[in-house]
Amino acid sequence: MATPLENWVEESSRLTKPAKIVWCDGSEAENERLTADMLRDGTFVELNQKTFPNCHLHRSNPNDVARTEQLTFICTQKKEDAGPTNNWMAPVEAKDKLRPLFDGSMKGRTMYVVPYILGPEKSPYSKIGVEITDSAYVAASMRIMSRMGKAALDRLGSSADFVPGLHSLGDLDPNRRFITHFPEEKLIWSIGSGYGGNALLGKKCFALRIASWMARDQGWMAEHMLILGLEDPSGKVTYMAAAFPSACGKTNLAMMVSALESQGYRVWTVGDDIAWMHIAADGTLRAINPEAGFFGVAPGTNAKTNPNVMTAANRNTIYTNVAMTSTGEPWWEGIDGAPADGLISWKGEKWKPGDGPAAHPNARYTVPASQSPTLSKHWEDPAGIPISAIIFGGRRARLAPLVYESHDWQHGVFVGATMASETTAAATGAVGVSRRDPMAMLPFCGYNMADYFGHWLAMGGKMKNPPKIFHVNWFRKGADGKFLWPGYGENVRVLKWMLDRIEGRAAATETPIGSVPTASSLTLDGLNISRDTMKELLSVDTNDWLAEDQAVGEFFKKFGDRLPKAITEEQKALADRLTRSTVAAK
Ligand code: O2Y
Ligand code: MN
């Protein structure tokens, strides 16, 4: 008898009518075949195999260079279940719209059946997905980003417990591009894009949008968070999960070279983008990284911002939309060194100064996590690693201090729910505009965010010793418009303060927004930063925060009655504390 997977593949092939079906086993030999095919048909350009062994360049269609939020839909029976921050379509309407686009979309093409595990192979918290795609580039990328192939099929057996994702390039016309999620039936349909989060369905579509729905139903958390371990001089490692909106340097933070290494503090990487967190039997929160690779932004990456990824991505890496030097090496704006003669742009054209960026601003590397020099030896622990701190952050040029700690879990949930950041290239649309992005999940939550806040609140109540919740802002600027904090490896000083707070060692000043470090509680030795700058970095302007709290109230209105009372109470409590402190200061 056919298995549920075989039935779905059969049904999908009847619809899309491929010339051939290939079941991916994830082997080296298969990868070599896929690579050879892609080099032959131009999907891949070979990079310099001496300096970048087994590295290839893919140039996507110039109209298909980023995930497209405006074409991304949550298709629930009831619109309210998708909530006011998601695009919604009724499931029947979505399928009626997309079915004709899928009809015959793989004619003359190969259909790849890509089974994958999200999470460590042996973890009880891992889940299985199967992506059907007509893109060899997607199949090869999924092999880096997940545990793809035989291991997934073996784990699945004849079970129906997998998330199916049907993907076709279609004709790549943005007018016929849709990324649709059916969380009630745990199904994904995506057509018209071969790029990133639109096409690698294990990433944002499953590991966040579908998984967040599953997590709410099953009592765990699927979060847009990096996971890192901070090792102290005694060798003890404390794990932290951090949520930042897209393009705030998550990968760089997760792979950081610590400025305090000589004092015995170093950072280990567990994951750079997504965390699945469960409450263990002992009441602690434990996290796994569902992914197996990093799909990071190349421009701006260099030996200073992320030396570890520069090392990791010099082999077995797929580059997308970077430029290429005359000697066949990947190149992008912000890499060490000026562009040399003979540079070929991301569009495959000869590039000269004045032509605009040679690499697309959203150009990417897809690199196996196992190649990271900072990879934690516990990154595949089946039980996950224990999380002691949750960090929220965003780009705030003016408002937020370098770091503050929330009063308790409920206040921390409010801090996460009120996150905001200035936009950059990854989310298409205006650049530099501030937008609310609760828990960095706005584009990735598969259900009503009011219910999502409720789920966060409920989870806190189930933990024996919930992680402390912090907020950071690496991006505060002075009156001269320059960043006040050096960032990158120096951020470890802030992580160390958090560790000291967890261990009850560091002092803090109570402010209406939370506990801010005293100047002397941060380890600043070896850092050339003035007292005045530190004062500015740690200051809390009551009037700015009163205006912020009002803007937050406006944002929350869109959730109506569905917003948990505890969140409204936190918003009012903040207003009260701010008003009291204004009065006291007069
Ligand atoms: O533009 C895309 O398709 C990629 S977006 C992305 C990629 C890796 C990790 N995070 C993100 C994001 O937007 O958060
Ligand atoms: Mn992300």
Side-chain angles (χ1 to χ4, degrees):
M1 209 175 87
T3 64
L5 174 57
E6 286 163 346
N7 285 335
W8 176 63
V9 170
E10 163 63 24
E11 184 193 311
S12 302
S13 78
R14 249 184 285 124
L15 176 62
T16 57
K17 306 177 180 66
K20 178 166 117 174
I21 301 179
V22 170
W23 286 71
C24 292
D25 62 16
S27 66
E28 198 55 57
E30 174 184 86
N31 195 45
E32 279 166 20
R33 276 196 304 276
L34 279 177
T35 302
D37 289 350
M38 286 191 278
L39 285 169
R40 206 173 308 116
D41 72 12
T43 304
F44 266 178
V45 173
E46 191 165 72
L47 291 168
N48 187 322
Q49 294 299 295
K50 279 211 180 84
T51 48
F52 284 83
N54 198 27
C55 291
H56 299 91
L57 163 62
H58 170 67
R59 297 188 181 116
S60 72
N61 187 305
N63 79 31
D64 186 26
V65 291
R67 62 183 172 75
T68 41
E69 284 171 25
Q70 70 280 17
L71 306 174
T72 299
F73 293 84
I74 301 296
C75 307
T76 45
Q77 298 293 340
K78 291 195 210 137
K79 189 174 182 189
E80 315 84 86
D81 290 341
T85 58
N86 279 313
N87 298 317
W88 175 82
M89 245 194 283
V92 172
E93 188 198 335
K95 287 185 181 169
D96 285 351
K97 199 185 262 281
L98 269 68
R99 202 175 289 107
L101 304 179
F102 275 114
D103 192 355
S105 69
M106 298 191 190
K107 263 187 194 155
R109 306 177 59 90
T110 300
M111 169 196 272
Y112 300 95
V113 181
V114 182
Y116 59 94
I117 304 175
L118 291 183
E121 209 179 307
K122 297 276 180 302
S123 173
Y125 303 134
S126 298
K127 303 222 172 277
I128 294 177
V130 183
E131 175 163 358
I132 287 178
T133 178
D134 54 3
S135 161
Y137 162 76
V138 166
S141 300
M142 288 293 288
R143 182 172 182 268
I144 297 176
M145 293 304 295
S146 65
R147 284 87 176 166
M148 184 271 257
K150 186 173 178 306
L153 279 188
D154 287 351
R155 185 166 159 151
L156 182 64
S158 57
S159 160
D161 192 8
F162 67 95
V163 170
L166 179 60
H167 169 252
S168 174
L169 295 170
D171 59 8
L172 292 179
D173 183 333
N175 295 312
R176 287 184 284 279
R177 180 174 299 159
F178 296 96
I179 298 88
T180 58
H181 308 72
F182 305 86
E184 284 145 342
E185 37 179 325
K186 319 272 183 300
L187 171 70
I188 305 158
W189 276 13
S190 167
I191 188 154
S193 167
Y195 193 88
N198 290 344
L200 312 182
L201 302 187
K203 193 169 180 57
K204 306 298 188 180
C205 298
F206 179 179
L208 287 174
R209 298 194 189 97
I210 297 290
S212 60
W213 178 288
M214 289 172 145
R216 186 258 323 252
D217 285 357
Q218 298 165 5
W220 52 282
M221 304 168 89
E223 299 301 329
H224 189 202
M225 290 181 172
L226 65 86
I227 312 165
L228 61 79
L230 177 62
E231 183 176 330
D232 73 9
S234 75
K236 183 178 160 207
V237 181
T238 301
Y239 295 93
M240 307 176 174
F244 296 90
S246 308
C248 281
K250 269 169 78 182
T251 306
N252 296 347
L253 183 66
M255 298 178 79
M256 173 214 294
V257 176
S258 157
L260 297 178
E261 203 155 315
S262 62
Q263 293 186 33
Y265 291 91
R266 52 180 305 178
V267 168
W268 296 105
T269 312
V270 178
D272 81 324
D273 196 39
I274 299 175
W276 284 0
M277 303 192 286
H278 291 75
I279 302 174
D282 65 358
T284 58
L285 188 64
R286 299 190 79 94
I288 59 165
N289 172 8
E291 301 191 281
F294 307 137
F295 182 62
V297 180
T301 307
N302 58 49
K304 178 176 172 240
T305 60
N306 195 336
N308 286 312
V309 95
M310 295 299 285
T311 305
N314 65 6
R315 60 199 196 281
N316 310 319
T317 297
I318 300 174
Y319 286 94
T320 303
N321 293 342
V322 297
M324 188 172 78
T325 66
S326 59
T327 49
E329 274 143 1
W331 192 93
W332 50 80
E333 278 68 24
I335 201 173
D336 310 283
D341 284 349
L343 198 64
I344 307 288
S345 78
W346 67 277
K347 290 187 179 165
E349 294 158 358
K350 274 192 182 157
W351 182 88
K352 53 181 185 342
D355 280 355
H360 188 277
N362 196 31
R364 299 272 163 169
Y365 50 78
T366 310
V367 60
S370 59
Q371 292 182 190
S372 167
T374 53
L375 195 65
S376 160
K377 59 177 186 256
H378 297 291
W379 85 290
E380 292 191 294
D381 276 7
I385 46 83
I387 294 294
S388 302
I390 286 176
I391 306 169
F392 294 123
R395 285 177 181 266
R396 303 307 299 261
R398 195 182 143 86
L399 181 80
L402 179 63
V403 57
Y404 63 96
E405 180 190 328
S406 66
H407 300 124
D408 53 26
W409 180 267
Q410 179 172 304
H411 177 229
V413 174
F414 171 77
V415 169
T418 55
M419 270 170 62
S421 198
E422 290 156 16
T423 54
T424 60
T428 49
V431 173
V433 173
S434 174
R435 83 163 183 173
R436 298 257 149 230
D437 192 354
M439 282 84 169
M441 281 290 278
L442 192 87
F444 307 121
C445 186
Y447 61 102
N448 190 318
M449 282 206 108
D451 300 348
Y452 170 77
F453 302 148
H455 179 53
W456 263 80
L457 292 165
M459 288 295 289
K462 292 183 199 161
M463 283 176 239
K464 202 162 149 209
N465 189 14
K468 278 186 178 292
I469 300 182
F470 298 90
H471 185 280
V472 299
N473 177 23
W474 316 130
F475 303 99
R476 201 172 214 186
K477 288 181 175 171
D480 59 0
K482 292 198 176 131
F483 291 118
L484 294 166
W485 181 249
Y488 304 111
E490 306 296 349
N491 292 339
V492 74
R493 299 172 191 276
V494 175
L495 302 184
K496 177 181 177 293
W497 181 79
M498 294 174 189
L499 171 61
D500 290 342
R501 289 294 289 173
I502 292 164
E503 308 221 316
R505 286 192 293 259
T509 308
E510 289 311 311
T511 79
I513 62 164
S515 311
V516 176
T518 58
S520 60
S521 65
L522 279 165
T523 304
L524 297 175
D525 37 315
L527 181 63
N528 185 14
I529 195 160
S530 71
R531 269 170 177 270
D532 284 350
T533 303
M534 278 318 299
K535 210 170 149 196
E536 209 176 333
L537 270 165
L538 298 174
S539 67
V540 176
D541 185 299
T542 313
N543 287 327
D544 283 356
W545 277 96
L546 271 168
E548 170 75 357
D549 200 41
Q550 217 161 32
V552 161
E554 284 304 311
F555 173 67
F556 282 157
K557 273 190 192 154
K558 67 168 72 177
F559 298 105
D561 292 347
R562 214 145 160 159
L563 190 72
K565 280 212 170 50
I567 296 290
T568 322
E569 279 163 20
E570 285 293 337
Q571 194 232 327
K572 290 201 176 112
L574 175 59
D576 286 349
R577 290 195 299 272
L578 288 162
T579 311
R580 276 201 306 274
S581 91
T582 318
V583 172
K586 275 185 186 156

